[in-house]
Amino acid sequence: MPNLENLKKQAKRYLRWHRERYYPVAAEIKAVLPRFQHLADDAQVLEAEFKLSDAQELVARKQGFDGWQALKAGIPAMSTQLKPAMTAPFLSGTAALLYVADVEGSCKFFTSKLGFEVDFVYGDPPFYGAVKRDRAQLCLRLVCEPVFVGDIRQREHLLSASITVDTAAEIKQLFLEFQAAGVSFHQDLRKEPWGSRDFIVLDPDGNLILFAGPGD
C-alpha cells in the first residue's frame, strides 16, 4: 500500500528535478500530465512553469488517481483492497552510451553525417546529450580522459552500439547514404556467415557502431 508521506516526498523530488533541469523527468511529465502534452520537446517542458501542485498531480496520476485530493481520499480505501495481480515489467526502450571528448562536436557528426537529430544536450558546456534517428537513440557522455587502452576497440572489434533495420534493401541504402556523406568505416558492408548483412561506422571518438539488417 502506498504511504502518503512517501508520496509527498516523491512530489517534492519531481519538483526539484524540474528546477534542476533533469532531462529524464521531462519525458515523464509530458507523458502523464495533460497540460504539458502539447509541448514539442523535453526542453520546453523544463522551461514551462511546474509547481508543487503539478508534481503532486503527477504522483497521483501515476498511482491511478485523477488528482492529489483523490489520491489522499483513496489511500485509506486502498488498504482494504486485495493486492492487485502483478504483471511482469515490460522494457519499452534502450539506448547505447557513447563516451566522447566533445558532446557538441559529436552531435554535429551524427546529425551531419548519419542523419540523426539532437534529442537533447545538458550542461553548460554540455557534458551529456542524446541523438536519435527513428527509434534508435544514442546517449553521449563527456569523458576527458582515455576510457580504453590504445587501439583495443579496433583490434578487438569492440562495439559501442548496434542498430538494426528491417530489410536487406534498407541496410544497403543506409551504407550508400553514409558512404556518400564521407563517413569512416571500420568495416564495409558485407554478408555474415549467420545470414545478416552489416557494416560498422567509426565515429570521431573511436566508437564502433554496427548497422545490421537481413542478408536477403
Side-chain angles (χ1 to χ4, degrees):
M1 181 187 73
N3 178 282
L4 183 58
E5 289 305 313
N6 287 338
L7 295 177
K8 288 180 179 178
K9 292 178 182 178
Q10 286 183 30
K12 290 179 181 178
R13 189 181 306 121
Y14 281 125
L15 183 63
R16 185 179 75 251
W17 283 345
H18 183 272
R19 287 173 178 170
E20 294 174 350
R21 297 182 63 82
Y22 179 55
Y23 264 87
V25 79
E28 200 166 353
I29 293 171
K30 184 177 178 181
V32 176
L33 298 182
R35 82 176 189 89
F36 292 89
Q37 291 173 356
H38 71 284
L39 299 177
D41 54 37
D42 293 347
Q44 290 185 355
V45 174
L46 295 177
E47 291 168 1
E49 182 182 15
F50 185 77
K51 300 176 292 187
L52 178 60
S53 58
D54 295 314
Q56 291 173 335
E57 182 183 353
L58 176 62
V59 171
R61 286 181 176 272
K62 291 186 65 178
Q63 292 292 327
F65 295 91
D66 290 335
W68 185 251
Q69 294 303 318
L71 179 145
K72 291 199 296 183
I75 283 182
M78 291 175 65
S79 64
T80 64
Q81 298 176 358
L82 294 176
K83 185 177 181 180
M86 298 295 292
T87 58
F90 178 79
L91 305 183
S92 59
T94 185
L97 179 61
L98 308 184
Y99 299 116
V100 302
D102 179 355
V103 172
E104 291 182 316
S106 188
C107 286
K108 183 177 181 180
F109 167 77
F110 282 101
T111 55
S112 65
K113 298 291 188 180
L114 303 187
F116 281 68
E117 61 183 35
V118 175
D119 191 9
F120 68 87
V121 291
Y122 188 74
D124 185 17
F127 63 87
Y128 192 74
V131 293
K132 64 181 180 179
R133 176 169 173 172
D134 305 322
R135 294 183 179 178
Q137 184 183 52
L138 299 173
C139 295
L140 310 172
R141 175 68 164 84
L142 177 67
V143 178
C144 298
E145 298 180 5
V147 178
F148 298 92
V149 178
D151 63 346
I152 188 172
R153 286 183 289 182
Q154 284 72 43
R155 287 188 288 106
E156 298 294 334
H157 314 292
L158 301 180
L159 299 176
S160 296
S162 298
I163 299 173
T164 59
V165 295
D166 291 335
T167 67
E170 286 176 304
I171 193 63
K172 295 175 184 176
Q173 181 180 345
L174 197 60
F175 177 75
L176 294 175
E177 174 188 327
F178 292 170
Q179 191 177 53
V183 172
S184 296
F185 295 98
H186 174 71
Q187 173 198 297
D188 288 337
L189 182 66
R190 72 184 188 191
K191 188 172 183 180
E192 303 290 358
W194 48 87
S196 70
R197 195 178 299 273
D198 56 37
F199 62 89
I200 301 174
V201 166
L202 177 67
D203 84 348
D205 291 281
N207 294 298
L208 302 183
I209 305 167
L210 175 75
F211 292 86
D216 298 305

